[in-house]
Amino acid sequence: MTSPTFRASILTLYPEMFPGPLGHALAGRALEKALWALEAVQIRDFALDKHRSVDDTPAGGGPGMVMRADVLARAIDAVAPPGDPRPRLLMTPRGAPLTQARVRALAEGPGAVILCGRFEGVDERIVAARNLEEICVGDVVLSGGEAAALLLLDACVRLIPGVMGKAESGTEESFSAGLLEYPQYTRPQLFEGEPIPEVLTCGDHARIARWRHAQSLAVTRARRPDLLASLPPHDGTMKERE
């Protein structure tokens, strides 16, 4: 069996949280088939004192604790020695917003080393010292980076070739073309008096494609108008049809 091309190494204080939901459904089956690999590494294993300390009080005072740069450096160096091509990510609310484009780029690469912060965060010096890319999964504060890492990996793994049943499933969905996805319908034909839109049952694939694009524009304009700013002018101003 060939080795997985996508390898994820998670640095965490709670390795028992992995694979968690990633051990089920699409990601879990792909993990069993070795389409990707996951290792969860205990950061405390790289502490040097008898208490396995990984944090200390903030310099300058303040509440909480801060994860130590020296401990994190040893952990990162152990899982990603020189020559490891994988990007090093830090899950933090201070990071750049995660986008579908970044997810796709990660999924097409060799994997990632993901540091899950805890407490008040990490010593700022480790970010530059180990070239960490700071990533935020939303304008919320979590109790730790583990949930964010699970989200990121779920988004990446589904795009690895062979994971989804149909390759096009990863292209016709929200954000992939800069728009939110169009509404979906299935049987029954009539649900509580509401029918499936007639256009979806007409058999005219070109007409259906136009309707779906118009619906994507309408939904995006109503819910995420910020996304339209990055589209070519004709896409952002196209008149909705059907």
Short mmCIF file of all heavy atoms in Angstrom, two decimals, residues 21-76:
data_model
loop_
_atom_site.label_atom_id
_atom_site.label_comp_id
_atom_site.label_asym_id
_atom_site.label_seq_id
_atom_site.Cartn_x
_atom_site.Cartn_y
_atom_site.Cartn_z
N PRO A 21 -14.64 13.25 15.30
CA PRO A 21 -15.56 13.12 14.17
C PRO A 21 -14.86 12.76 12.86
O PRO A 21 -15.50 12.25 11.94
CB PRO A 21 -16.23 14.49 14.08
CG PRO A 21 -15.32 15.42 14.82
CD PRO A 21 -14.70 14.59 15.90
N LEU A 22 -13.56 12.99 12.79
CA LEU A 22 -12.81 12.64 11.58
C LEU A 22 -12.64 11.13 11.43
O LEU A 22 -12.16 10.66 10.41
CB LEU A 22 -11.44 13.32 11.58
CG LEU A 22 -11.46 14.85 11.57
CD1 LEU A 22 -10.04 15.39 11.67
CD2 LEU A 22 -12.13 15.38 10.31
N GLY A 23 -13.01 10.38 12.45
CA GLY A 23 -12.95 8.92 12.37
C GLY A 23 -14.23 8.32 11.83
O GLY A 23 -14.37 7.09 11.82
N HIS A 24 -15.15 9.16 11.38
CA HIS A 24 -16.45 8.68 10.90
C HIS A 24 -16.74 9.22 9.50
O HIS A 24 -16.05 10.11 9.02
CB HIS A 24 -17.55 9.11 11.87
CG HIS A 24 -17.34 8.64 13.28
ND1 HIS A 24 -17.74 7.41 13.72
CD2 HIS A 24 -16.73 9.24 14.33
CE1 HIS A 24 -17.42 7.27 14.98
NE2 HIS A 24 -16.79 8.36 15.39
N ALA A 25 -17.76 8.66 8.89
CA ALA A 25 -18.27 9.14 7.60
C ALA A 25 -17.15 9.20 6.56
O ALA A 25 -16.26 8.34 6.54
CB ALA A 25 -18.96 10.49 7.77
N LEU A 26 -17.17 10.23 5.69
CA LEU A 26 -16.21 10.31 4.59
C LEU A 26 -14.77 10.30 5.09
O LEU A 26 -13.93 9.54 4.60
CB LEU A 26 -16.45 11.58 3.78
CG LEU A 26 -17.62 11.60 2.79
CD1 LEU A 26 -17.74 12.99 2.17
CD2 LEU A 26 -17.42 10.57 1.69
N ALA A 27 -14.47 11.18 6.05
CA ALA A 27 -13.10 11.28 6.54
C ALA A 27 -12.64 9.99 7.20
O ALA A 27 -11.49 9.57 7.03
CB ALA A 27 -12.97 12.45 7.53
N GLY A 28 -13.54 9.35 7.96
CA GLY A 28 -13.18 8.09 8.63
C GLY A 28 -12.90 6.98 7.65
O GLY A 28 -11.93 6.21 7.82
N ARG A 29 -13.74 6.85 6.63
CA ARG A 29 -13.50 5.81 5.62
C ARG A 29 -12.21 6.07 4.86
O ARG A 29 -11.46 5.14 4.55
CB ARG A 29 -14.70 5.74 4.66
CG ARG A 29 -15.96 5.18 5.30
CD ARG A 29 -17.01 4.83 4.28
NE ARG A 29 -17.54 6.01 3.61
CZ ARG A 29 -18.59 6.71 4.04
NH1 ARG A 29 -19.19 6.36 5.17
NH2 ARG A 29 -19.04 7.75 3.37
N ALA A 30 -11.95 7.35 4.59
CA ALA A 30 -10.70 7.70 3.90
C ALA A 30 -9.49 7.41 4.77
O ALA A 30 -8.43 7.01 4.28
CB ALA A 30 -10.73 9.17 3.49
N LEU A 31 -9.64 7.60 6.07
CA LEU A 31 -8.54 7.30 7.00
C LEU A 31 -8.26 5.80 7.02
O LEU A 31 -7.10 5.38 7.00
CB LEU A 31 -8.93 7.79 8.40
CG LEU A 31 -7.83 7.94 9.45
CD1 LEU A 31 -6.74 8.90 8.98
CD2 LEU A 31 -8.42 8.43 10.77
N GLU A 32 -9.32 5.00 7.02
CA GLU A 32 -9.16 3.55 6.99
C GLU A 32 -8.50 3.08 5.70
O GLU A 32 -7.74 2.11 5.70
CB GLU A 32 -10.52 2.88 7.15
CG GLU A 32 -11.14 3.04 8.53
CD GLU A 32 -12.52 2.43 8.62
OE1 GLU A 32 -13.01 1.93 7.58
OE2 GLU A 32 -13.12 2.45 9.72
N LYS A 33 -8.80 3.77 4.60
CA LYS A 33 -8.23 3.41 3.30
C LYS A 33 -6.84 4.01 3.09
O LYS A 33 -6.25 3.85 2.03
CB LYS A 33 -9.16 3.88 2.19
CG LYS A 33 -10.51 3.18 2.16
CD LYS A 33 -11.38 3.75 1.05
CE LYS A 33 -12.75 3.10 1.01
NZ LYS A 33 -13.63 3.71 -0.03
N ALA A 34 -6.35 4.73 4.09
CA ALA A 34 -5.03 5.38 4.01
C ALA A 34 -4.96 6.41 2.89
O ALA A 34 -3.90 6.62 2.30
CB ALA A 34 -3.92 4.34 3.84
N LEU A 35 -6.08 7.08 2.63
CA LEU A 35 -6.06 8.18 1.68
C LEU A 35 -5.47 9.43 2.33
O LEU A 35 -5.08 10.37 1.65
CB LEU A 35 -7.47 8.48 1.17
CG LEU A 35 -8.14 7.37 0.35
CD1 LEU A 35 -9.55 7.77 -0.07
CD2 LEU A 35 -7.29 7.04 -0.88
N TRP A 36 -5.42 9.42 3.66
CA TRP A 36 -4.74 10.47 4.41
C TRP A 36 -4.32 9.88 5.75
O TRP A 36 -4.74 8.78 6.11
CB TRP A 36 -5.64 11.70 4.60
CG TRP A 36 -6.80 11.52 5.52
CD1 TRP A 36 -7.90 10.73 5.35
CD2 TRP A 36 -6.99 12.16 6.80
NE1 TRP A 36 -8.76 10.84 6.41
CE2 TRP A 36 -8.24 11.71 7.31
CE3 TRP A 36 -6.24 13.08 7.54
CZ2 TRP A 36 -8.74 12.14 8.53
CZ3 TRP A 36 -6.74 13.51 8.76
CH2 TRP A 36 -7.97 13.05 9.24
N ALA A 37 -3.45 10.57 6.46
CA ALA A 37 -2.94 10.07 7.74
C ALA A 37 -3.04 11.16 8.80
O ALA A 37 -2.95 12.36 8.49
CB ALA A 37 -1.49 9.62 7.60
N LEU A 38 -3.23 10.73 10.03
CA LEU A 38 -3.39 11.66 11.14
C LEU A 38 -2.61 11.17 12.35
O LEU A 38 -2.69 10.00 12.71
CB LEU A 38 -4.88 11.79 11.51
CG LEU A 38 -5.22 12.57 12.79
CD1 LEU A 38 -4.89 14.04 12.60
CD2 LEU A 38 -6.70 12.40 13.13
N GLU A 39 -1.85 12.07 12.95
CA GLU A 39 -1.19 11.77 14.23
C GLU A 39 -1.48 12.93 15.18
O GLU A 39 -1.40 14.09 14.80
CB GLU A 39 0.32 11.57 14.07
CG GLU A 39 1.08 12.79 13.61
CD GLU A 39 2.58 12.60 13.69
OE1 GLU A 39 3.05 11.73 14.45
OE2 GLU A 39 3.30 13.36 12.99
N ALA A 40 -1.86 12.59 16.40
CA ALA A 40 -2.09 13.58 17.43
C ALA A 40 -0.98 13.48 18.46
O ALA A 40 -0.76 12.41 19.05
CB ALA A 40 -3.46 13.37 18.08
N VAL A 41 -0.25 14.56 18.66
CA VAL A 41 0.96 14.56 19.49
C VAL A 41 0.72 15.37 20.76
O VAL A 41 0.24 16.52 20.70
CB VAL A 41 2.14 15.14 18.69
CG1 VAL A 41 3.40 15.19 19.55
CG2 VAL A 41 2.38 14.33 17.42
N GLN A 42 1.05 14.79 21.88
CA GLN A 42 0.89 15.44 23.18
C GLN A 42 2.02 16.45 23.39
O GLN A 42 3.21 16.09 23.49
CB GLN A 42 0.89 14.41 24.29
CG GLN A 42 0.91 14.94 25.70
CD GLN A 42 -0.27 15.85 26.02
OE1 GLN A 42 -0.14 17.07 25.94
NE2 GLN A 42 -1.40 15.24 26.40
N ILE A 43 1.67 17.72 23.50
CA ILE A 43 2.67 18.77 23.69
C ILE A 43 3.43 18.59 25.01
O ILE A 43 4.63 18.87 25.10
CB ILE A 43 2.00 20.16 23.64
CG1 ILE A 43 1.42 20.42 22.24
CG2 ILE A 43 2.99 21.26 24.01
CD1 ILE A 43 0.59 21.68 22.13
N ARG A 44 2.76 18.09 26.03
CA ARG A 44 3.41 17.93 27.33
C ARG A 44 4.60 16.97 27.28
O ARG A 44 5.49 17.03 28.14
CB ARG A 44 2.41 17.42 28.37
CG ARG A 44 1.34 18.44 28.74
CD ARG A 44 0.54 18.01 29.95
NE ARG A 44 -0.57 18.92 30.18
CZ ARG A 44 -0.47 20.10 30.78
NH1 ARG A 44 0.71 20.49 31.23
NH2 ARG A 44 -1.52 20.87 30.96
N ASP A 45 4.65 16.12 26.28
CA ASP A 45 5.78 15.20 26.16
C ASP A 45 7.09 15.94 25.90
O ASP A 45 8.17 15.34 26.02
CB ASP A 45 5.53 14.20 25.02
CG ASP A 45 4.42 13.22 25.35
OD1 ASP A 45 4.06 13.10 26.54
OD2 ASP A 45 3.92 12.55 24.42
N PHE A 46 7.00 17.23 25.56
CA PHE A 46 8.20 17.99 25.23
C PHE A 46 8.56 19.00 26.31
O PHE A 46 9.46 19.82 26.13
CB PHE A 46 8.01 18.69 23.88
CG PHE A 46 7.76 17.70 22.77
CD1 PHE A 46 6.46 17.32 22.45
CD2 PHE A 46 8.81 17.11 22.10
CE1 PHE A 46 6.22 16.38 21.45
CE2 PHE A 46 8.58 16.16 21.11
CZ PHE A 46 7.29 15.79 20.79
N ALA A 47 7.86 18.93 27.44
CA ALA A 47 8.24 19.74 28.60
C ALA A 47 9.42 19.08 29.30
O ALA A 47 9.61 17.86 29.23
CB ALA A 47 7.06 19.86 29.55
N LEU A 48 10.24 19.87 29.99
CA LEU A 48 11.45 19.34 30.59
C LEU A 48 11.39 19.19 32.10
O LEU A 48 12.23 18.51 32.69
CB LEU A 48 12.65 20.25 30.22
CG LEU A 48 12.97 20.32 28.71
CD1 LEU A 48 14.19 21.22 28.50
CD2 LEU A 48 13.22 18.93 28.14
N ASP A 49 10.41 19.82 32.74
CA ASP A 49 10.35 19.72 34.20
C ASP A 49 9.47 18.55 34.61
O ASP A 49 8.74 17.98 33.82
CB ASP A 49 9.82 21.03 34.79
CG ASP A 49 8.39 21.29 34.41
OD1 ASP A 49 8.03 21.03 33.23
OD2 ASP A 49 7.59 21.75 35.25
N LYS A 50 9.53 18.18 35.88
CA LYS A 50 8.82 17.01 36.38
C LYS A 50 7.30 17.18 36.34
O LYS A 50 6.56 16.20 36.34
CB LYS A 50 9.28 16.68 37.80
CG LYS A 50 8.94 17.73 38.83
CD LYS A 50 9.40 17.29 40.22
CE LYS A 50 9.04 18.32 41.29
NZ LYS A 50 9.48 17.89 42.64
N HIS A 51 6.86 18.43 36.30
CA HIS A 51 5.42 18.70 36.25
C HIS A 51 4.89 18.75 34.81
O HIS A 51 3.70 18.96 34.61
CB HIS A 51 5.10 20.02 36.96
CG HIS A 51 5.52 20.05 38.39
ND1 HIS A 51 4.95 19.25 39.35
CD2 HIS A 51 6.48 20.79 39.03
CE1 HIS A 51 5.51 19.49 40.53
NE2 HIS A 51 6.45 20.42 40.35
N ARG A 52 5.77 18.58 33.85
CA ARG A 52 5.41 18.64 32.42
C ARG A 52 4.70 19.95 32.10
O ARG A 52 3.70 20.00 31.41
CB ARG A 52 4.53 17.44 32.04
CG ARG A 52 5.16 16.10 32.34
CD ARG A 52 4.21 14.98 32.03
NE ARG A 52 4.11 14.71 30.60
CZ ARG A 52 3.09 14.09 30.02
NH1 ARG A 52 2.05 13.71 30.75
NH2 ARG A 52 3.08 13.87 28.73
N SER A 53 5.28 21.04 32.57
CA SER A 53 4.68 22.37 32.38
C SER A 53 4.81 22.84 30.93
O SER A 53 5.87 22.71 30.31
CB SER A 53 5.36 23.39 33.30
OG SER A 53 5.26 22.98 34.65
N VAL A 54 3.73 23.37 30.41
CA VAL A 54 3.73 23.87 29.03
C VAL A 54 3.41 25.36 28.97
O VAL A 54 3.43 25.95 27.90
CB VAL A 54 2.72 23.10 28.17
CG1 VAL A 54 3.06 21.63 28.11
CG2 VAL A 54 1.29 23.30 28.68
N ASP A 55 3.09 25.97 30.11
CA ASP A 55 2.66 27.37 30.12
C ASP A 55 3.28 28.11 31.28
O ASP A 55 3.88 27.52 32.18
CB ASP A 55 1.13 27.45 30.18
CG ASP A 55 0.56 26.73 31.41
OD1 ASP A 55 1.30 25.92 32.02
OD2 ASP A 55 -0.60 26.96 31.75
N ASP A 56 3.13 29.44 31.25
CA ASP A 56 3.63 30.28 32.34
C ASP A 56 2.82 31.57 32.33
O ASP A 56 2.03 31.81 31.41
CB ASP A 56 5.12 30.55 32.16
CG ASP A 56 5.82 30.75 33.51
OD1 ASP A 56 5.17 31.27 34.44
OD2 ASP A 56 7.00 30.39 33.63
N THR A 57 3.03 32.40 33.35
CA THR A 57 2.26 33.63 33.47
C THR A 57 2.64 34.63 32.37
O THR A 57 3.78 34.65 31.90
CB THR A 57 2.49 34.28 34.84
OG1 THR A 57 3.89 34.46 35.04
CG2 THR A 57 1.95 33.36 35.94
N PRO A 58 1.72 35.48 31.95
CA PRO A 58 2.00 36.44 30.89
C PRO A 58 3.04 37.47 31.31
O PRO A 58 2.98 38.02 32.42
CB PRO A 58 0.65 37.13 30.65
CG PRO A 58 -0.38 36.23 31.26
CD PRO A 58 0.30 35.55 32.40
N ALA A 59 4.01 37.74 30.45
CA ALA A 59 4.96 38.82 30.71
C ALA A 59 4.20 40.13 30.72
O ALA A 59 3.37 40.38 29.85
CB ALA A 59 6.04 38.84 29.63
N GLY A 60 4.48 40.96 31.74
CA GLY A 60 3.77 42.23 31.85
C GLY A 60 2.50 42.14 32.67
O GLY A 60 1.82 43.13 32.87
N GLY A 61 2.16 40.93 33.10
CA GLY A 61 0.98 40.75 33.93
C GLY A 61 -0.28 40.50 33.11
O GLY A 61 -0.26 40.56 31.89
N GLY A 62 -1.35 40.20 33.79
CA GLY A 62 -2.61 39.93 33.12
C GLY A 62 -3.14 38.56 33.50
O GLY A 62 -2.46 37.77 34.15
N PRO A 63 -4.39 38.28 33.09
CA PRO A 63 -5.03 37.03 33.48
C PRO A 63 -4.53 35.84 32.66
O PRO A 63 -3.97 36.00 31.57
CB PRO A 63 -6.50 37.29 33.20
CG PRO A 63 -6.47 38.25 32.04
CD PRO A 63 -5.29 39.14 32.29
N GLY A 64 -4.77 34.65 33.18
CA GLY A 64 -4.51 33.44 32.43
C GLY A 64 -3.05 33.07 32.32
O GLY A 64 -2.18 33.60 33.01
N MET A 65 -2.81 32.12 31.41
CA MET A 65 -1.46 31.61 31.19
C MET A 65 -1.17 31.61 29.70
O MET A 65 -2.07 31.64 28.86
CB MET A 65 -1.35 30.18 31.73
CG MET A 65 -1.69 30.05 33.21
SD MET A 65 -0.47 30.82 34.30
CE MET A 65 0.79 29.53 34.34
N VAL A 66 0.12 31.56 29.36
CA VAL A 66 0.57 31.60 27.97
C VAL A 66 1.43 30.36 27.69
O VAL A 66 2.29 30.01 28.51
CB VAL A 66 1.37 32.88 27.68
CG1 VAL A 66 1.89 32.87 26.24
CG2 VAL A 66 0.51 34.12 27.93
N MET A 67 1.21 29.72 26.56
CA MET A 67 1.99 28.54 26.20
C MET A 67 3.43 28.94 25.86
O MET A 67 3.66 29.90 25.12
CB MET A 67 1.33 27.80 25.03
CG MET A 67 -0.06 27.31 25.36
SD MET A 67 -0.83 26.33 24.03
CE MET A 67 0.05 24.77 24.23
N ARG A 68 4.38 28.18 26.40
CA ARG A 68 5.80 28.53 26.30
C ARG A 68 6.37 28.24 24.91
O ARG A 68 6.11 27.19 24.31
CB ARG A 68 6.59 27.75 27.34
CG ARG A 68 6.27 28.13 28.77
CD ARG A 68 6.95 27.18 29.74
NE ARG A 68 8.38 27.05 29.47
CZ ARG A 68 9.34 27.23 30.38
NH1 ARG A 68 9.00 27.57 31.62
NH2 ARG A 68 10.60 27.07 30.07
N ALA A 69 7.20 29.18 24.43
CA ALA A 69 7.79 29.03 23.10
C ALA A 69 8.80 27.89 23.05
O ALA A 69 8.89 27.18 22.04
CB ALA A 69 8.48 30.35 22.70
N ASP A 70 9.56 27.67 24.14
CA ASP A 70 10.59 26.62 24.09
C ASP A 70 9.97 25.23 24.01
O ASP A 70 10.44 24.36 23.25
CB ASP A 70 11.53 26.74 25.29
CG ASP A 70 10.81 26.71 26.64
OD1 ASP A 70 9.57 26.90 26.67
OD2 ASP A 70 11.50 26.49 27.66
N VAL A 71 8.88 25.02 24.76
CA VAL A 71 8.22 23.72 24.70
C VAL A 71 7.60 23.49 23.32
O VAL A 71 7.73 22.42 22.73
CB VAL A 71 7.14 23.63 25.80
CG1 VAL A 71 6.38 22.30 25.69
CG2 VAL A 71 7.77 23.77 27.18
N LEU A 72 6.94 24.52 22.80
CA LEU A 72 6.31 24.39 21.49
C LEU A 72 7.34 24.18 20.39
O LEU A 72 7.11 23.42 19.45
CB LEU A 72 5.47 25.64 21.20
CG LEU A 72 4.26 25.86 22.11
CD1 LEU A 72 3.56 27.17 21.75
CD2 LEU A 72 3.29 24.69 22.02
N ALA A 73 8.48 24.83 20.52
CA ALA A 73 9.53 24.66 19.51
C ALA A 73 10.00 23.21 19.46
O ALA A 73 10.20 22.64 18.38
CB ALA A 73 10.70 25.60 19.81
N ARG A 74 10.20 22.60 20.62
CA ARG A 74 10.64 21.20 20.64
C ARG A 74 9.58 20.29 20.03
O ARG A 74 9.90 19.34 19.30
CB ARG A 74 10.96 20.77 22.07
CG ARG A 74 12.26 21.32 22.61
CD ARG A 74 12.66 20.66 23.92
NE ARG A 74 11.79 21.06 25.02
CZ ARG A 74 12.00 22.15 25.77
NH1 ARG A 74 13.04 22.93 25.52
NH2 ARG A 74 11.18 22.45 26.76
N ALA A 75 8.32 20.57 20.30
CA ALA A 75 7.24 19.76 19.75
C ALA A 75 7.17 19.89 18.23
O ALA A 75 7.06 18.90 17.51
CB ALA A 75 5.91 20.16 20.39
N ILE A 76 7.25 21.11 17.74
CA ILE A 76 7.18 21.35 16.30
C ILE A 76 8.37 20.71 15.60
O ILE A 76 8.22 20.04 14.56
CB ILE A 76 7.12 22.86 16.00
CG1 ILE A 76 5.80 23.44 16.52
CG2 ILE A 76 7.28 23.12 14.51
CD1 ILE A 76 5.75 24.96 16.49
#
